[in-house]
Amino acid sequence: MSAAGKRPVLHKALVALVLRTLRPLACISFHYGMSILEFEEIARWVFVDVALHDPAFALQSRNKQFKSRAAILTGLSRKEVMRLARQPAPGEGGEVHARNRAARVVAGWLLPPYTDGRGNPRTLTLKEGRDSFAHLVRACGGDVPHRAILDELLESGWVEKVEGGRLKLRSAGRLHPRGSQEALEKAAASLEVLLAGLEKQLHADIERNGRRSKES
């Protein structure tokens, strides 16, 4: 079978590898309140950073990678590559703000007109008035129905119902997960070592197959 004939099979296996790798990462992200928008921005930055700075993808004829080459490898536009190349690593230049929709609603609840004169989150009606919970969701939650957001916030414990069916934000501190930073850092270090080892094995397999093709 020709190399062209093998490519779709290899691509299918690659897609399966990425799917199986991302599934547990998606679960971890959901547990800690990370949205796909945050994940996508981080992934874009990493792809560009690898394309520009990893020696494994450097052209032998050039001492330094160039933006057009990164655009070719990543599939992004040169403009997007340049934007990402100018940015520090995600998390180093401040918070990535594109949180999940429920968290964005909670963040909006901590701003006027949903706070009192002291800046504390007010108890909101469900639908009545321009500063109701439904209005807050329309302003901060996108096209998701306010009752769906409410179910999520009640389930997570961020919000409770009080007298008269009004809604109270229990604690601004609950905006962030209570997980251990140390546990996440240890998990990141372990995963980095594991995936780096797998990448090394796969790269060796590519080189072996390349030598066999030249010899045949």
Side-chain angles (χ1 to χ4, degrees), residues 25-143:
L25 287 178
C27 291
I28 293 171
S29 298
F30 286 157
H31 281 307
Y32 286 87
M34 176 177 283
S35 71
I36 185 62
L37 300 178
E38 290 175 276
F39 190 95
E40 180 184 5
E41 181 69 7
I42 294 169
R44 284 171 175 258
W45 186 92
V46 170
F47 270 61
V48 168
D49 189 64
V50 169
L52 288 175
H53 302 117
D54 194 313
F57 302 100
L59 292 175
Q60 296 182 358
S61 58
R62 286 180 174 264
N63 295 326
K64 184 179 180 181
Q65 291 287 62
F66 55 103
K67 304 299 189 300
S68 296
R69 164 76 168 171
I72 292 169
L73 293 177
T74 63
L76 298 173
S77 67
R78 289 181 69 254
K79 181 178 180 180
E80 178 69 354
V81 167
M82 293 175 67
R83 179 185 74 83
L84 293 165
R86 289 193 295 263
Q87 293 183 353
E92 292 183 0
E95 181 183 3
V96 180
H97 294 289
R99 293 168 289 199
N100 70 55
R101 293 179 187 271
R104 278 153 48 189
V105 167
V106 173
W109 203 331
L110 301 174
L111 299 172
Y114 307 103
T115 55
D116 59 22
R118 296 182 177 181
N120 298 315
R122 296 193 293 104
T123 301
L124 304 180
T125 62
L126 180 60
K127 293 191 295 184
E128 293 77 18
R130 287 185 53 80
D131 53 357
S132 65
F133 180 78
H135 188 271
L136 168 63
V137 172
R138 285 196 297 273
C140 302
D143 61 352

Side-chain angles (χ1 to χ4, degrees), residues 2 20-21 24 27 31 34 45 48 60 62 81 100 112 132 134 146 149-150 158-159 165 174-175 200 203 206 214:
S2 67
R20 295 175 71 175
T21 302
C27 291
H31 281 307
M34 176 177 283
W45 186 92
V48 168
Q60 296 182 358
R62 286 180 174 264
V81 167
N100 70 55
S132 65
H146 69 272
I149 294 286
L150 178 59
W158 285 354
V159 170
R174 294 185 66 87
L175 181 59
K200 187 176 181 180
H203 184 67
I206 291 172
K214 290 179 180 180

